[in-house]
């Protein structure tokens, strides 16, 4: 499906009642002001149609546990100028921070943090606690037998300290409940797997290539 056929009104993505804010009732004030600022710049009147992928970046920034800043372009220009690329697997990917050191390659053992949300911005799970800042990084091998293919494709090519944001379709997502990453706790695990048939937004920060 082309970008032109995916274009949605901003109001239909964010919703009149602002589901992103409702999903984070204890969200810090600074985060809420970022969301309001984005709506003020783009206009929630529905006069403009913007691509769903551009909104992906803006929605992820509204509850940004990994500290990924909203690109300057989103505040100054049309939201649909945010640059991204589409991988062969269909994953739509945005590079946020490059990182340093050797690139992660398929088969490598890596350690990373991530935030997972639904495509409409609702929070699903994160390895970073938004209140304490404490993190529980995931250590996995970049192998489709162990990790969902979409996330594996996102991490391959990253460097330590690098950050990426991606939209992963269910076809390369949780096609098998044994695939990782999945929270150990029952509640978060059930929440994540209940959305396994939806496109999911992942923000990933690569910590180490082991």
């Amino acid at each position: 499906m082309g970008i032109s056929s995916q274009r949605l009104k901003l109001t239909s993505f964010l919703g009149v009642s602002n589901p992103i804010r409702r999903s984070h009732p204890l969200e810090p004030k600074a985060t809420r002001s970022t969301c309001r600022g984005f709506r003020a710049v783009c206009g929630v009147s529905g006069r403009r149609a913007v691509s769903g992928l551009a909104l992906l970046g803006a929605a992820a920034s509204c509850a940004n546990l990994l500290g990924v800043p909203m690109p300057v372009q989103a505040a100054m220009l049309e939201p649909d100028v945010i640059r991204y690329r589409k991988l062969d697997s269909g994953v739509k990917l945005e590079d946020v921070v490059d990182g340093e050191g050797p690139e992660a390659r398929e088969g490598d053992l890596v350690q990373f943090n991530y935030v997972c949300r639904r495509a409409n911005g609702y929070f699903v799970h994160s390895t970073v606690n938004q209140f304490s800042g404490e993190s529980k990084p995931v250590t996995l091998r970049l192998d489709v037998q162990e990790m969902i293919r979409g996330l594996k494709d996102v991490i391959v090519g990253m460097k330590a300290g690098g950050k990426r944001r991606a939209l992963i379709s269910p076809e390369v997502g949780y096609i098998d409940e044994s695939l990782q990453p999945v929270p150990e706790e029952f509640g978060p695990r059930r929440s994540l797997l209940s959305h396994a048939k939806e496109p999911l937004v992942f923000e990933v920060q690569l910590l180490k290539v082991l």
Side-chain angles (χ1 to χ4, degrees), residues 73-94:
Q73 299 99 312
M76 299 178 62
L77 303 174
E78 293 286 343
D80 55 348
V81 303
I82 295 176
R83 294 182 179 180
Y84 73 95
R85 53 197 171 98
K86 187 174 181 179
L87 306 181
D88 292 341
S89 59
V91 172
K92 295 175 181 177
L93 174 69
E94 179 187 357

Side-chain angles (χ1 to χ4, degrees), residues 14-210:
L14 294 176
V16 175
S17 59
N18 190 359
I20 295 178
R21 286 183 58 189
R22 277 212 321 261
S23 64
H24 295 278
L26 300 180
E27 183 184 3
K29 293 181 179 179
T31 301
R32 293 198 293 269
S33 64
T34 301
C35 298
R36 287 198 297 271
F38 180 79
R39 292 197 297 275
V41 171
C42 299
V44 193
S45 61
R47 295 178 182 176
R48 296 179 183 174
V50 294
S51 71
L53 183 67
L55 290 171
L56 157 71
S61 297
C62 287
N64 195 346
L65 303 186
L66 295 182
V68 179
M70 181 172 68
V72 174
Q73 299 99 312
M76 299 178 62
L77 303 174
E78 293 286 343
D80 55 348
V81 303
I82 295 176
R83 294 182 179 180
Y84 73 95
R85 53 197 171 98
K86 187 174 181 179
L87 306 181
D88 292 341
S89 59
V91 172
K92 295 175 181 177
L93 174 69
E94 179 187 357
D95 288 291
V96 181
V97 177
D98 289 336
E100 298 179 350
E103 294 184 352
R105 301 183 182 278
E106 191 159 351
D108 284 348
L109 190 66
V110 296
Q111 186 180 74
F112 60 94
N113 279 317
Y114 72 92
V115 181
C116 176
R117 300 183 185 85
R118 299 174 64 189
N120 62 6
Y122 277 97
F123 177 84
V124 178
H125 181 65
S126 174
T127 59
V128 181
N129 186 300
Q130 65 174 323
F131 305 112
S132 67
E134 182 181 355
S135 67
K136 296 181 179 179
V138 175
T139 301
L140 289 172
R141 193 167 300 280
L142 295 176
D143 187 318
V144 292
Q145 303 300 320
E146 187 170 342
M147 180 187 295
I148 58 173
R149 179 187 172 186
L151 189 57
K152 185 267 295 182
D153 290 349
V154 170
I155 297 177
V156 167
M158 291 184 70
K159 300 176 182 179
K163 299 177 184 179
R164 285 179 175 176
R165 183 181 297 126
L167 181 64
I168 298 177
S169 66
E171 291 78 16
V172 288
Y174 292 95
I175 58 174
D176 187 317
E177 292 189 3
S178 66
L179 294 174
Q180 297 291 324
V182 174
E184 296 180 358
E185 301 85 355
F186 175 76
R189 180 186 181 93
R190 183 177 62 178
S191 175
L192 177 62
L193 295 179
S194 69
H195 301 298
K197 295 183 179 180
E198 303 176 19
L200 294 172
V201 178
F202 276 85
E203 277 184 27
V204 182
Q205 179 184 35
L206 181 62
L207 302 177
K208 296 178 182 178
V209 179
L210 302 172

